[in-house]
Amino acid sequence: MSTKAIQPKLKMARLHGQPEIFFSIQGEGKSLGTPSVFVRSSLCNLHCIWCDTDYTWNWAGTRFPHVNDNKPGYQKFDKKVWIAECAVAEVAAEVVKHPCLNVILTGGEPMLQQPAFTALMFELRKQNPGYSFEVETNGTLMPEESFDAAIDQYNVSPKLENSNNPRKLREKPAVYRFFASSPKAHFKFVVATPTDLQEVFELIRLYNIDKGKIWLMPEGSGRQALARKRKWLVEVCKSNGFRYTDRLHVQIWGSKKGV
Ligand code: SF4
């Protein structure tokens, strides 16, 4: 594969004027606590009402509702300001500045840009074969063959009714079945209420998802919201054989972005 021939560009999220690439620790799920470089792409095919990366999709001129709509000063985002179009080589050059070989492709929905991310993984492994890659995905897009071959871990976070996305958009049966059978995939369900939990049980049953691949995480972008649900959700995990994950980055830094 030649990255020169394809020359794909990545539509990156922009934060503080720069493409959003930062070195931190994985705050959720299977690799919680692992030092990682985060590469955040722009664009999403869903529009979760509580999304905390709404600067990747909640564009001016669209009508998607968001929990912050009534907050003083909240405005939808200007695509021209919040998307940074970058050459793959440019993104790779930024990633290699960090002393870390675990890279997390996140968004938005990074799997909307599989050819460009495949080229990025190829480019980074060319520089150091020790790189490993995780992708954070909403589980609605089927992996392309070359992307699937390159990625090491899928962190799949299916969206529930509470996201305000219509079921036909958020639940793609063939894609769920693919991830349920992929040894690289793990499921992280964000749970706020017992109703959410019933929906999770239904998805697990419908798609025959192995318990060992399931993490439950409390919903909340602040410490108090997480604390209110934590004990209840830990008990649910104990009695069903699921794993529990907190949101470590929220515990450490609150709702700050780019950390
Ligand atoms: S899928 Fe993820 S990035 Fe997209 S709107 Fe939902 S929470 Fe936000």
Side-chain angles (χ1 to χ4, degrees):
M1 174 181 171
S2 160
T3 49
K4 268 193 185 141
I6 300 169
Q7 293 187 326
K9 291 252 182 181
L10 267 164
K11 286 189 166 57
M12 295 285 296
R14 203 195 290 271
L15 192 66
H16 311 309
Q18 300 299 321
E20 193 174 338
I21 299 168
F22 59 95
F23 181 30
S24 187
I25 53 170
Q26 170 61 290
E28 303 171 355
K30 183 169 192 275
S31 319
L32 188 142
T34 307
S36 303
V37 180
F38 289 77
V39 177
R40 189 182 304 285
S41 57
S42 190
L43 309 181
C44 190
N45 57 336
L46 295 184
H47 310 98
C48 304
I49 195 161
W50 38 252
C51 177
D52 60 3
T53 53
D54 46 340
Y55 55 99
T56 64
W57 58 267
N58 196 11
W59 309 125
T62 61
R63 300 175 65 177
F64 302 112
H66 192 272
V67 287
N68 288 339
D69 282 343
N70 294 325
K71 263 198 182 167
Y74 182 77
Q75 279 187 327
K76 285 178 175 276
F77 299 86
D78 181 345
K79 263 185 172 179
K80 290 195 292 295
V81 175
W82 290 87
I83 297 179
E85 203 157 310
C86 302
V88 165
E90 217 180 308
V91 176
E94 207 49 49
V95 171
V96 299
K97 287 181 185 168
H98 302 287
C100 175
L101 294 179
N102 195 54
V103 177
I104 298 178
L105 316 178
T106 188
E109 176 47 66
M111 289 188 62
L112 286 170
Q113 303 187 60
Q114 293 182 54
F117 272 124
T118 303
L120 177 67
M121 292 188 274
F122 178 85
E123 179 61 33
L124 285 167
R125 284 208 179 101
K126 204 166 70 180
Q127 299 188 34
N128 187 334
Y131 269 106
S132 60
F133 298 94
E134 300 177 27
V135 62
E136 304 280 347
T137 179
N138 58 30
T140 59
L141 297 162
M142 190 64 91
E144 293 162 8
E145 212 177 305
S146 52
F147 184 88
D148 186 51
I151 201 78
D152 295 286
Q153 184 173 310
Y154 294 101
N155 302 325
V156 183
S157 184
K159 301 305 176 239
L160 307 178
E161 178 80 32
N162 68 22
S163 69
N164 203 44
N165 293 288
R167 186 167 183 178
K168 66 176 192 303
L169 289 187
R170 66 175 195 265
E171 187 178 334
K172 301 289 179 185
V175 185
Y176 279 2
R177 278 195 285 272
F178 173 89
F179 286 127
S181 65
S182 167
K184 296 181 180 181
H186 306 275
F187 287 77
K188 178 181 68 191
F189 292 97
V190 182
V191 179
T193 65
T195 310
D196 294 345
L197 202 55
Q198 288 317 308
E199 225 183 311
V200 170
F201 285 134
E202 180 62 7
L203 288 172
I204 292 169
R205 191 191 61 77
L206 266 177
Y207 299 104
N208 200 18
I209 306 171
D210 190 281
K211 281 184 180 177
K213 288 163 78 89
I214 295 169
W215 273 253
L216 299 189
M217 185 175 86
E219 183 273 332
S221 52
R223 295 183 187 105
Q224 285 181 340
L226 296 175
R228 277 196 295 274
K229 295 153 198 153
R230 183 175 295 132
K231 283 187 183 157
W232 165 65
L233 212 51
V234 166
E235 291 307 318
V236 172
C237 289
K238 280 165 63 183
S239 45
N240 289 280
F242 304 145
R243 290 151 198 222
Y244 173 81
T245 175
D246 218 290
R247 305 191 75 197
L248 189 55
H249 53 303
V250 174
Q251 300 300 343
I252 300 172
W253 294 289
S255 55
K256 196 172 169 195
K257 298 195 187 317
V259 289

